[in-house]
Amino acid sequence: MLVLLAALLCVVGSYVSIQLFRRTLQAGGGSRFHWCFLASVCAGSSIWGTHFIAMLGYQPGVPVTFDATLTIISVVIAIFGVGIGLFLSTLRNRWFGALCGGGTIGLAIAAMHYVGMFAYRADGIVGWLPNYVALSLACAVVFGALAIDRLRVHDHEGHPWTATLLLVVAIVMLHFVGMAAFTVTPIAGFGSGPQSEVFVAMASAIAMAALLIVGTGISTYLVEMRTRVDAQDRLHHIAMHDTLTGLQNRHAFNGKLRRLCQRLVKGGPPFALLMVDLDRFKPINDSLGHPFGDKVLKAVSARLQEAVRDNDMVARIGGDEFAVIAPGVDDPSVARLLAERIVEVLSRPFVISGQVADLGASVGITLAPADGKDAETLTQQVDIALYHAKNEGRGRHCFFDPSLTETLRERRLLEADLRRACMREEFEVYFQPILDTATREFAGAEALVRWHSPERGVVSPVLFIPVAEELGLVTTIGALVLERACAEAATWPDGMTVAVNVSPVQMMGGRLASTVAQALHKSGLEPGRLEIEITETALVTDDELALRALEEVRALGVKISLDDFGTGYSSLSYLHRFPIDRIKIDASFVNQVPHDPGSASIVRAIAQLGESLQMEVTAEGIETDAQYSYVAEHGCRHMQGFLFSRPVDAATLARLFGTHEKNRSVA
Amino acid sequence: MTVQRLFYSSRIADEHASRGAAIAREIAQASAVRNSASELTGTLAYIDGHFIQVLEGNLKQVEETFERICCDFRHRELKLLDYHTAPSRLFSEWAMASLVEEDATIGQREALSEVRVLATLNAREAIARMRQLLALQDRAVLTA
Ligand SMILES: Cc1cc2nc3c(=O)[nH]c(=O)nc-3n(C[C@H](O)[C@H](O)[C@H](O)COP(=O)(O)O)c2cc1C
């Protein structure tokens, strides 16, 4: 009965002690000391309890008493011994740590045992067998050391059972071998004592106390572990998730992609990688404010999760960029369906806080392992595919295809060349003269930019301006053109105007007025001779900002003309709202007159509009005499086109302006 | 108390087109239940494979419900036609009335097709017509 109780205490005590030993070894700094204290109190008292209960159960056949002082000393030895052993166990060297630490713990168990035995007063002749004593010491040291060694190399989450077992063996061996070394011979005349009942009560009390200590130890450990795990989980969650949307972040996405690719090598399942980019997020964020933008992003995330399948991963990997990993997908039609759902659901309006935002999304797709097997390749490919989806007009998806790489390479080269061109100022300003039909003389010219690339030759603005806008280089180029055009115009005869195109990006940049002022100042050109040409697209994106920019420019005394009129949105409303001095009829209409009645009526309507709003009207793209007469007849005063002159360089223009007036053959 | 009124159109998803009318009735019924809980009112028309819906109520409820509708893949090509603040409800008697072409009389059908054309051109007028249709329908039920 008492042996069973001792065995129970031994096993439970060892289990908990090993757990606490482990925690002590893991802990650092001050908390190691606290764990060491808890572990040694727990281990010491359970080892001592085991020993004491076993001794109570031991029946030497003679009356027995215990020496109180020595018994208490034996407990203290157990606790301190284990404590010192544990500290030594933390030594860096593996063998040293195990031997010194584990050995000390073994010796502590032994010392506790033998001191306990001295406290054990049997009324008989007590004898000791030295061989057994030596053997018990050896066992305790060896098993103690082995237990610590096992514990130190144990590196996974589960309980270190081997170490626990070794500790139990150390305790048990010591006790039994130690008891084999102990002999008591009864002295005749002294009967065996009737203390067994008292002993059972005492043993129970000790076991209770020891188990309470052990229990305290384990619950402290568990409470601490729970909070630690919680904290770790929380940290892990924060590290892997985007705080705004709650989606997984780039970090988590990269990890998942890498894991899937690793599995792919070992024949793991295929998957599709989709990259989603929001089409009109930035202007919405800028004009309606960041808090609104944040709400939109949250709604976007929720919709994305609705669009994908349950075990697909959606991650936010950039401001307005999302990635989807769809495991198990190798069929392009399944990937297409997924992409279509994403494009569809994000094309729907977002109605938030009384405001409406229209976004739309472009999606790039690549399939693993069909297109690629490693994370880097796949990410590159999906970016290329996404890039194409955007270039093809947004609001669509595009699969990766090797031929796309070539197109992208060319584009990158163009970008690099353009960057270099900006530094080397490889741009030249050309001028197309504008004719005044009333006086039949030149009234000025429109400045046009050309790129003289040493590698590419002359590059048309149609090709490089969109790229320059995307790269943000257009502001630099625009300023350069403005400055040169003003400088040139200052040399022209009095009254000749110069018109300079301004890109929407430049206009919304907030520095247009100061750039213009600077160009005027440097050249000394009269402000009234400069005209800024803008397009309707600049007005639709953010009309508040546009209005402010235009009013600033106008305040300098510079005129504003609206280019490509008639090709954009509901053009009329802009004419009323913005400070516009001139409208330019787009060449696409002028080209069709007089034979196309539709274009003819548009040209007429615009000319009338100009008259009624008191704006000047210029017709662009005049190529034939018939066009000239028709347009002139219907009230357009100014014209430009190949009929009068192609765009020419500054020197040619100067010659034209200096000599031309009287001998033009036109009209 | 002003209300927000939202008006949109959409097309039934191809995979559901064969039982469009049944789906429209189901949606209107289920929506009526949900909408009464959130004090929303309105009507759902289903004409020639297209949904046209008016939703009215307080801003939060309208927007939340519309966001759910925007996550629904039973329809496609969702276009917001109008979203404005109105002095009062037009459809206060209906948590979600249904105007399904297949359930309508010939006269109503014609009116419904007109609503469909009007919806993109003149949203307010289209909403007013839908309201009229419901009023007539109720009178018809009463006199029957
Ligand atoms: C055309 C159409 C109109 C709908 N109108 C409503 C509506 O008025 N109220 C509503 O609660 N759900 C409406 N729904 C259903 C929602 O889209 C959604 O399925 C429903 O609210 C259940 O959402 P849950 O599954 O996220 O809970 C409509 C769906 C469609 C396709």
Side-chain angles (χ1 to χ4, degrees):
Chain A
M1 178 29 210
L2 289 183
V3 174
L4 274 181
L5 192 61
L8 175 76
L9 184 58
C10 178
V11 172
V12 174
S14 300
Y15 174 88
V16 174
S17 301
I18 284 293
Q19 203 71 275
L20 294 173
F21 284 5
R22 178 152 74 133
R23 190 68 193 89
T24 309
L25 296 184
Q26 287 167 350
S31 66
R32 170 173 284 174
F33 179 78
H34 298 291
W35 283 111
C36 184
F37 175 78
L38 191 66
S40 40
V41 167
C42 187
S45 35
S46 58
I47 293 167
W48 178 80
T50 306
H51 163 80
F52 200 78
I53 293 166
M55 288 316 295
L56 290 174
Y58 180 67
Q59 278 164 358
V62 297
V64 173
T65 54
F66 288 90
D67 180 298
T69 319
L70 280 178
T71 304
I72 289 169
I73 289 177
S74 72
V75 183
V76 175
I77 289 176
I79 292 174
F80 273 91
V82 172
I84 293 167
L86 260 181
F87 249 123
L88 292 176
S89 304
T90 61
L91 288 173
R92 186 134 319 144
N93 182 288
R94 175 174 170 188
W95 301 114
F96 224 61
L99 206 64
C100 293
T104 307
I105 292 174
L107 285 177
I109 301 173
M112 181 279 303
H113 177 85
Y114 289 112
V115 171
M117 288 310 290
F118 289 131
Y120 188 80
R121 295 283 153 76
D123 283 343
I125 301 160
V126 173
W128 291 94
L129 304 175
N131 289 349
Y132 282 103
V133 172
L135 181 64
S136 73
L137 288 178
C139 282
V141 170
V142 169
F143 286 107
L146 283 175
I148 292 298
D149 182 55
R150 286 293 96 199
L151 188 61
R152 280 176 55 134
V153 299
H154 181 86
D155 59 356
H156 53 88
E157 276 304 297
H159 182 76
W161 286 108
T162 330
T164 310
L165 187 71
L166 285 165
L167 184 62
V168 170
V169 170
I171 298 168
V172 170
M173 288 287 274
L174 185 107
H175 182 79
F176 284 108
V177 178
M179 288 316 285
F182 180 76
T183 58
V184 184
T185 320
I187 299 166
F190 288 86
S192 63
Q195 301 101 326
S196 66
E197 250 170 61
V198 184
F199 276 16
V200 171
M202 212 159 119
S204 311
I206 288 166
M208 281 273 270
L211 282 173
L212 278 178
I213 293 174
V214 170
T216 312
I218 193 71
S219 61
T220 310
Y221 172 76
L222 289 176
V223 165
E224 195 260 355
M225 190 160 84
R226 191 64 257 152
T227 36
R228 204 154 49 107
V229 168
D230 281 353
Q232 262 171 4
D233 283 357
R234 232 185 348 263
L235 269 180
H236 183 79
H237 189 90
I238 292 170
M240 303 304 257
H241 287 77
D242 170 45
T243 37
L244 175 67
T245 62
L247 291 179
Q248 311 212 44
N249 60 15
R250 177 179 274 281
H251 191 65
F253 163 75
N254 286 341
K256 169 119 182 175
L257 185 61
R258 210 163 311 120
R259 278 196 300 285
L260 280 172
C261 287
Q262 277 161 5
R263 262 190 267 159
L264 217 50
V265 179
K266 300 179 210 139
F271 61 92
L273 174 61
L274 289 82
M275 199 67 75
V276 183
D277 191 68
L278 300 183
D279 285 339
R280 279 171 294 273
F281 181 70
K282 280 191 186 73
I284 286 168
N285 203 33
D286 290 346
S287 57
L288 297 179
H290 292 285
F292 183 81
D294 284 354
K295 286 184 197 165
V296 171
L297 285 174
K298 279 191 205 172
V300 165
S301 316
R303 288 196 192 176
L304 277 173
Q305 277 170 313
E306 287 291 325
V308 302
R309 304 163 314 160
D310 279 347
N311 51 357
D312 294 342
M313 176 207 214
V314 183
R316 179 171 176 226
I317 58 171
D320 57 356
E321 220 182 336
F322 299 82
V324 176
I325 296 180
V329 174
D330 55 356
D331 182 352
S333 64
V334 176
R336 170 171 299 121
L337 202 71
L338 199 58
E340 277 169 0
R341 278 167 71 93
I342 291 172
V343 169
E344 160 79 31
V345 87
L346 295 181
S347 75
R348 298 177 181 178
F350 289 83
V351 180
I352 296 170
S353 315
Q355 270 164 323
V356 180
D358 275 304
L359 259 70
S362 306
V363 177
I365 313 167
T366 188
L367 298 173
D371 292 333
K373 288 198 180 78
D374 67 286
E376 222 122 291
T377 313
L378 289 168
T379 324
Q380 270 172 16
Q381 291 177 342
V382 84
D383 277 338
I384 293 173
L386 173 61
Y387 182 80
H388 271 263
K390 287 201 284 190
N391 259 18
E392 293 291 301
R394 300 167 190 266
R396 65 187 66 208
H397 67 263
C398 176
F399 276 91
F400 171 75
D401 183 290
S403 71
L404 297 183
T405 318
E406 182 52 24
T407 326
L408 185 73
R409 210 181 58 83
E410 277 163 20
R411 160 79 185 214
R412 293 274 178 264
L413 273 180
L414 178 64
E415 289 178 3
D417 285 355
L418 194 57
R419 283 217 166 82
R420 198 149 5 105
C422 274
M423 285 189 309
R424 297 197 202 146
E425 304 202 342
E426 291 171 0
F427 303 98
E428 198 177 339
V429 181
Y430 271 58
F431 297 91
Q432 185 168 38
I434 296 167
L435 191 81
D436 183 342
T437 52
T439 61
R440 296 184 177 175
E441 289 179 356
F442 285 130
E446 177 180 354
L448 300 162
V449 63
R450 281 214 190 148
W451 173 16
H452 280 282
S453 161
E455 294 87 13
R456 299 167 181 268
V458 177
V459 186
S460 149
V462 183
L463 280 178
F464 74 83
I465 289 295
V467 182
E469 285 188 331
E470 224 169 274
L471 298 183
L473 296 174
V474 75
T475 316
T476 317
I477 301 175
L480 184 113
V481 172
L482 196 61
E483 198 167 293
R484 292 204 192 154
C486 289
E488 206 55 51
T491 69
W492 299 343
D494 278 350
M496 293 264 194
T497 60
V498 64
V500 180
N501 293 282
V502 166
S503 124
V505 179
Q506 206 180 347
M507 196 165 109
M508 298 308 199
R511 299 223 319 276
L512 181 62
S514 67
T515 313
V516 170
Q518 203 179 346
L520 287 172
H521 177 74
K522 265 197 186 173
S523 62
L525 184 73
E526 219 178 285
R529 290 174 58 193
L530 175 62
E531 251 180 47
I532 293 297
E533 288 197 6
I534 58 168
T535 54
E536 289 171 5
T537 39
L539 306 179
V540 287
T541 36
D542 182 351
D543 51 2
E544 292 295 322
L545 202 60
L547 188 62
R548 202 164 343 122
L550 292 183
E551 274 169 351
E552 281 171 12
V553 170
R554 199 114 174 287
L556 297 171
V558 173
K559 299 219 167 67
I560 292 163
S561 75
L562 191 56
D563 211 355
D564 305 336
F565 191 76
T567 54
Y569 272 99
S570 61
S571 313
L572 240 168
S573 57
Y574 299 123
L575 293 185
H576 293 289
R577 291 202 47 210
F578 293 95
I580 289 164
D581 303 285
R582 178 190 298 279
I583 42 191
K584 296 185 88 170
I585 308 176
D586 193 60
S588 62
F589 301 119
V590 177
N591 285 336
Q592 310 281 324
V593 295
H595 59 271
D596 175 49
S599 298
S601 63
I602 288 175
V603 169
R604 272 200 314 276
I606 296 176
Q608 276 167 16
L609 196 69
E611 198 175 343
S612 66
L613 293 174
Q614 283 162 352
M615 292 175 184
E616 305 251 33
V617 179
T618 302
E620 293 180 286
I622 304 281
E623 288 175 5
T624 65
D625 286 328
Q627 286 167 1
Y628 173 84
S629 334
Y630 184 89
V631 171
E633 208 172 289
H634 288 94
C636 286
R637 182 157 168 200
H638 294 106
M639 297 188 195
Q640 62 189 90
F642 288 178
L643 182 62
F644 320 114
S645 171
R646 296 176 173 277
V648 295
D649 62 28
T652 316
L653 186 83
R655 238 175 293 130
L656 263 179
F657 279 4
T659 59
H660 76 352
E661 275 114 326
K662 306 291 173 299
N663 53 17
R664 276 297 298 165
S665 59
V666 176
Chain B
M1 261 299 277
T2 58
V3 292
Q4 292 301 117
R5 186 175 303 129
L6 187 148
F7 186 53
Y8 75 87
S9 75
S10 62
R11 186 173 61 76
I12 185 130
D14 292 338
E15 61 269 32
H16 297 301
S18 58
R19 44 186 301 272
I23 288 180
R25 281 180 218 117
E26 275 165 34
I27 290 176
Q29 245 167 36
S31 298
V33 176
R34 286 187 83 121
N35 292 357
S36 353
S38 38
E39 295 186 342
L40 289 174
T41 53
T43 179
L44 175 66
Y46 181 70
I47 317 145
D48 189 23
H50 290 260
F51 295 105
I52 298 175
Q53 190 174 25
V54 185
L55 255 183
E56 47 184 28
N58 79 31
L59 182 127
K60 185 167 174 291
Q61 305 288 4
V62 168
E63 291 185 357
E64 276 177 11
T65 301
F66 184 63
E67 185 54 34
R68 261 189 283 120
I69 294 173
C70 281
C71 288
D72 201 316
F73 281 93
R74 286 175 291 184
H75 56 175
R76 296 284 142 88
E77 290 166 24
L78 195 152
K79 287 199 232 32
L80 185 67
L81 301 172
D82 198 12
Y83 184 47
H84 63 266
T85 310
S88 62
R89 291 177 195 258
L90 275 176
F91 297 88
S92 48
E93 294 124 86
W94 299 278
M96 190 47 59
S98 80
L99 287 168
V100 176
E101 190 183 17
E102 281 78 350
D103 303 341
T105 64
I106 296 181
Q108 287 171 332
R109 271 185 210 196
E110 230 154 74
L112 272 176
S113 323
E114 252 173 64
V115 166
R116 172 153 139 61
V117 176
L118 264 178
T120 47
L121 297 176
N122 187 343
R124 311 273 162 110
E125 180 60 26
I127 295 172
R129 295 278 182 94
M130 286 167 91
R131 178 66 183 79
Q132 262 171 16
L133 262 168
L134 284 175
L136 292 174
Q137 202 175 45
D138 272 16
R139 202 165 311 145
V141 171
L142 285 179
T143 52

